[in-house]
Amino acid sequence: MKSTADSFSTIMKAKYPDGNWKKNELGSAFNKEKDVLKKLALYNDYITKYPPKSTKAVIDNFKSQMADAYTNAKIMMHIMNGVRTFPKQRGKQ
């Protein structure tokens, strides 16, 4: 069954080289990426190809994921450097 799906996918991509599948694959790659810098590059690529006006909900979701990825990367850097306290968040005492 997988080979049938792969065949269908190959035909679809050949017939519709600029179809929605490209947008979906780029979005999927963004969602799967763990590295914050690679994630940022994918985000920039996505908003360049698909302007926020046409995909506002998706872009808002991506921005939220970028904030989480950045926060997690910052926390990991503190942990790797042996820092036991973390910077206070803005607006919080």
Side-chain angles (χ1 to χ4, degrees):
M1 196 65 160
K2 176 131 173 70
S3 64
T4 303
D6 290 343
S7 296
F8 176 74
S9 182
T10 301
I11 292 167
M12 176 191 66
K13 289 176 179 182
K15 188 169 182 174
Y16 304 103
D18 294 318
N20 280 341
W21 64 268
K22 284 186 112 170
K23 184 177 177 181
N24 294 338
E25 282 188 355
L26 186 55
S28 182
F30 175 87
N31 288 328
K32 291 177 184 175
E33 185 56 60
K34 300 294 182 205
D35 182 272
V36 70
L37 296 177
K38 291 177 184 176
K39 195 171 198 79
L40 179 59
L42 288 167
Y43 170 80
N44 287 329
D45 191 25
Y46 189 94
I47 63 170
T48 299
K49 291 178 179 175
Y50 311 105
K53 242 182 185 176
S54 66
T55 57
K56 185 176 178 352
V58 172
I59 297 298
D60 287 347
N61 177 277
F62 284 2
K63 286 179 182 178
S64 176
Q65 288 187 52
M66 283 302 305
D68 288 343
Y70 176 76
T71 300
N72 292 337
K74 203 169 181 183
I75 289 170
M76 284 305 297
M77 289 303 296
H78 278 81
I79 291 169
M80 289 169 47
N81 290 325
V83 176
R84 301 264 184 242
T85 59
F86 300 98
K88 291 181 183 174
Q89 295 178 352
R90 280 195 228 177
K92 294 187 178 183
Q93 298 290 336

